[in-house]
Every structure is written in structure tokens, then in C-alpha cells.
Amino acid sequence: MIDNILSFTNLSKTISSVSNQIIFSKIAGTVPAGEKIVFVGPSGQGKSTLLRILGLLDEADSGEMLLLGKPLHEWNPQAWRMNVCYVSQTPVMLEGSIEDNLRTVSRLHHTEYDPAYAAHLMSSVGLGDMGLSKEASTLSGGEKQRVALVRSLLLRPKLLLLDEITSSLDDVSKYAVERLITDINRQEGTGYAWISHDRDQAARIGERVWSLSNGTLSEGGISCL
């Protein structure tokens, strides 16, 4: 049995267009199976960049990553992204309806679309009354965040990388998203690393803390918040 879903060592990233500004240097971390990580730290320190690298949406300058005990070079990128899903704070809706967007992951990854599960997820995030034929481009920012989350959850990934995904939501919708993700964590063992600048939310959703500041990643218990 593999204890860690994901691990990384010696990851470094610079912005070459800005005088080789170092975002982070030689950082390391692990995500045990089912771990609930809240990711904190000042804005502009590279939290989103790190999650995008872990989700293979950006590339580190150096370092190693392992998923389910296998190094990155042994993974097909598509297979990696089926297991590790990054959900952006400002998600992109594809052209077409909400259902077109939800079906996208099935088309890309050649998996069967589950309309009943999609309906359950949409209802769980407070969008159960929204017709799936609605044009995705007309959604509000908060609705797009929730549809993007549902789109990723349809893959049933082993790890979610969540980038301030409730920043545009009112309290009712925010708590609904938190309940859904923590329920999936408990029922299916899906782990997550969740960027949040909301201390109350961090205390509710996290068991372990990552903090990224001045190019260094530190880890600790939730009591350090």
C-alpha cells in the first residue's frame, strides 16, 4: 500500500522575465492519502504556481515529483491529471452549455459520463435548480467556480488542488462546497491541498498546514494558524 499520494523534493521556480526572481527554491512536501491540507501565506508568494506545477499545468525549473510512488517521467500527463486535479480561482468555461462543460472531462479522458453523479454534485453545491442547457458563458463568477469544481470531481481524482475556490461565494454556497469536499474526503479518501486566506475556513477544512513565504515551504498542524 502506498502511503503518499504525492510527494516532491527540491522544487524550484523562477520568473526569468523579471531578473530571474526566485518564487521558491528547493522546497519539499508530501501529501499522504486522504490528507486535508490548508495552504496559507501572503499573496504573491507562489502558492498558485506550486499547485499548478503539482497539477502539471506549469513546470518547475528543477526538482522531482512522485505520484503514487512513480516519478513524473513514468506518467502520461493525461493519466497524472486524472489523479491530480487543479481547480482555479478564476476557472475558464468552455464554449457551450453547462452540460457540455461537465461532459468535457469524459471526452478528454475517455471515461463514461455519469449524469446522476453530476446532478448530485450540482445539487450539493447549490446549483441543483440550474438547467444544464444554460450557456456556461452567462454564469456568474461564483457559479463558474462551482461548475468547475463539479467538472473536476466527475473524474473522482485522488487529490484535489484547490485555489481559493470559494472566493466569489456567499456564506451559504461556501459552506455547501466545504461540506461536499469534506464528505468526499471522508467517503472516498480524496485528499486536498486548499489555498485559503480565510482563517475561519482554514480551521474548518484543514488538518495540516502548508505555509509558503519568502521562497520557503513549511508544514505544521492546524493549531499553528
Side-chain angles (χ1 to χ4, degrees):
M1 179 178 177
I2 296 173
D3 294 328
N4 292 328
I5 294 294
L6 183 68
S7 62
F8 53 95
T9 55
N10 295 317
L11 281 193
S12 298
K13 182 68 174 178
T14 60
I15 303 176
S16 58
S17 60
V18 189
S19 303
N20 290 321
Q21 177 185 343
I22 297 173
I23 303 179
F24 46 78
S25 178
K26 296 183 179 180
I27 62 173
T30 60
V31 184
E35 188 73 278
K36 298 190 289 186
I37 296 170
V38 59
F39 198 179
V40 301
S43 297
Q45 297 294 306
K47 297 186 298 298
S48 296
T49 299
L50 176 57
L51 290 195
R52 287 179 59 83
I53 288 171
L54 298 180
L56 299 193
L57 299 174
D58 201 345
E59 188 173 349
D61 298 326
S62 59
E64 299 179 349
M65 298 193 296
L66 284 81
L67 175 62
L68 301 175
K70 291 171 50 179
L72 174 59
H73 70 267
E74 295 183 12
W75 282 90
N76 176 291
Q78 186 173 351
W80 182 290
R81 295 187 187 107
M82 281 188 68
N83 285 283
V84 181
C85 286
Y86 172 80
V87 186
S88 173
Q89 179 183 9
T90 53
V92 175
M93 290 291 103
L94 304 175
E95 185 177 349
S97 67
I98 294 173
E99 185 171 16
D100 290 333
N101 273 264
L102 298 183
R103 287 180 176 272
T104 294
V105 292
S106 295
R107 291 196 298 268
L108 289 177
H109 295 284
H110 309 292
T111 59
E112 184 176 354
Y113 178 67
D114 186 342
Y117 189 49
H120 163 70
L121 294 173
M122 289 288 285
S123 177
S124 296
V125 298
L127 297 177
D129 294 332
M130 180 171 287
L132 296 184
S133 62
K134 185 173 182 177
E135 283 294 311
S137 61
T138 67
L139 300 179
S140 68
E143 289 167 344
K144 288 178 181 177
Q145 284 185 326
R146 285 175 284 170
V147 170
L149 174 63
V150 169
R151 188 169 58 190
S152 292
L153 290 174
L154 286 170
L155 282 173
R156 288 186 159 91
K158 291 182 171 59
L159 177 63
L160 289 164
L161 306 174
L162 307 173
D163 194 347
E164 295 192 73
I165 59 164
T166 61
S167 61
S168 296
L169 303 185
D170 59 29
D171 284 346
V172 171
S173 299
K174 177 171 65 176
Y175 297 146
V177 167
E178 291 175 9
R179 282 194 300 271
L180 174 62
I181 293 175
T182 53
D183 283 348
I184 289 175
N185 171 267
R186 183 176 63 255
Q187 295 165 6
E188 301 187 18
T190 303
Y192 57 77
W194 189 332
I195 296 175
S196 177
H197 291 285
D198 181 334
R199 289 179 65 90
D200 291 336
Q201 180 181 66
R204 289 192 300 269
I205 64 174
E207 290 181 342
R208 190 153 62 100
V209 177
W210 282 357
S211 179
L212 185 58
S213 182
N214 297 319
T216 301
L217 181 70
S218 58
E219 300 186 39
I222 198 69
S223 61
C224 71
L225 284 171

